[in-house]
Amino acid sequence: MNNQILKNRAKVLDEDLAGRAFSAEADALLAEIVLLEQAPAQRRRMPSPRRVLLGVAASAVLAGALVVGPSLIGASERVYASQAVTIDRDGDGYVFYITDGDPTPAELEKAFHSVGLDKVTVKLIPVSPQERGPVFGFDRPDLEGGASATVFDCAERVEGCLKAFRVAADINGPAQFFLGRPAKPGEKYAFRADASWPGEALAGVKIQGRSVEQAVSVVRKHDLKVAYELDWPARNGGRGGHTEQNVPASSIDPRWSVSSAETYNDGVIVLRVVPGLDATRPPGF
């Protein structure tokens, strides 16, 4: 894989970073916690057409990656059914309905292969047990094929359906499908989760809207480490924006506002910070 699905944070205290843009300790720790791939870029980029990660939490991480599928309650043809998966042919794609809460990669690969997607392999990735929606991803070399989320109540279509997704029928070449599974106790998540969710590191704690100074104080009381991101709005009032990652504490004004606190379940809380109006943008942002 040449691109990064998910970007991770340095496992280092904010005071360790103060006054330095880089340090040997931060670099070593950053390399240590990279989950899937390592990339040195500081700016979060949108996923390439090759790779999509979908889900409620993932849509916040990869803004714009979530594709809302069409209503699939209409005419379609049932082409495969097992205890774990049911598949309908729907136009130029297949709709997969997951009916087993813990399907094995072998079961899912069998389903893909049953409809001619013979080069698709399946990998389970750990996600927060509190994840509120289906989490799945697709890594493919075929730029025309793809995957999309379906947001309707899939149980209306297939009894016992827990989650559903749609994939293109004409995927060419090898591809890898990722499906989220609840992480085991202490296991690091494949992508970040809201740290205030029940069972997470800051369960029930409201961070949004607090100043950086207040948020850091809360995080330290929970014996957790801090990393920072800056969410820069688009220039000239445009839509979207850019996220600056791995920002040293020396670049953070303690009066700035925190928009969210996220965790990989690794003892580090990533504070996403909204820069003040007088903040100086880095080059390219």
Side-chain angles (χ1 to χ4, degrees):
M1 295 170 147
N2 295 322
N3 297 315
Q4 194 175 18
I5 292 179
L6 308 161
K7 296 193 177 172
N8 300 311
R9 309 299 179 274
K11 213 173 184 182
V12 60
L13 284 168
D14 48 350
E15 60 262 31
D16 296 332
L17 293 170
R20 295 178 293 178
F22 301 97
S23 72
E25 293 85 355
D27 290 343
L29 287 166
L30 176 61
E32 202 176 287
I33 65 170
V34 168
L35 175 68
L36 296 176
E37 297 174 77
Q38 178 76 15
Q42 290 289 91
R43 182 188 302 182
R44 173 180 293 150
R45 294 178 173 85
M46 300 312 296
S48 75
R50 293 185 54 222
R51 180 172 290 127
V52 183
L53 180 66
L54 301 171
V56 173
S59 66
V61 176
L62 301 178
L66 183 63
V67 181
V68 178
S71 174
L72 302 172
I73 306 296
S76 59
E77 177 188 0
R78 182 65 39 81
V79 293
Y80 178 84
S82 71
Q83 181 176 348
V85 186
T86 296
I87 307 175
D88 284 358
R89 179 64 191 249
D90 183 78
D92 60 355
Y94 292 106
V95 184
F96 284 65
Y97 303 89
I98 304 298
T99 51
D100 181 345
D102 191 23
T104 66
E107 288 174 315
L108 292 175
E109 286 179 5
K110 180 179 179 181
F112 276 109
H113 299 171
S114 72
V115 293
L117 302 177
D118 298 328
K119 296 184 179 180
V120 175
T121 57
V122 177
K123 180 179 181 180
L124 301 181
I125 58 172
V127 301
S128 169
Q130 306 301 323
E131 181 58 46
R132 299 167 186 174
V135 177
F136 54 87
F138 218 70
D139 183 23
R140 57 184 169 74
D142 172 24
L143 298 181
E144 299 303 319
S148 64
T150 55
V151 296
F152 64 92
D153 183 359
C154 63
E156 293 181 17
R157 180 66 179 170
V158 174
E159 183 178 359
C161 179
L162 301 174
K163 60 188 69 175
F165 57 89
R166 189 179 193 275
V167 298
D170 59 351
I171 296 173
N172 300 318
Q176 188 167 49
F177 180 80
F178 302 90
L179 180 68
R181 62 160 176 80
K184 300 174 184 176
E187 185 178 19
K188 187 179 175 183
Y189 304 153
F191 69 89
R192 294 198 305 243
D194 188 326
S196 68
W197 283 352
E200 297 298 346
L202 297 177
V205 178
K206 182 179 168 93
I207 292 292
Q208 183 176 5
R210 295 196 186 201
S211 69
V212 171
E213 182 177 25
Q214 293 170 332
V216 169
S217 176
V218 170
V219 171
R220 287 176 176 164
K221 286 179 181 178
H222 286 77
D223 296 322
L224 298 166
K225 300 178 182 180
V226 180
Y228 298 98
E229 288 185 349
L230 287 178
D231 286 338
W232 294 97
R235 293 181 181 273
N236 302 320
R239 299 179 63 183
H242 299 294
T243 298
E244 184 182 3
Q245 298 179 299
N246 305 322
V247 181
S250 58
S251 298
I252 303 293
D253 188 323
R255 297 169 297 177
W256 290 347
S257 176
V258 174
S259 61
S260 67
E262 299 170 340
T263 178
Y264 280 109
N265 197 36
D266 60 355
V268 179
I269 300 298
V270 181
L271 296 180
R272 299 189 63 171
V273 179
V274 179
L277 296 177
D278 59 345
T280 303
R281 292 174 180 262
F285 285 81

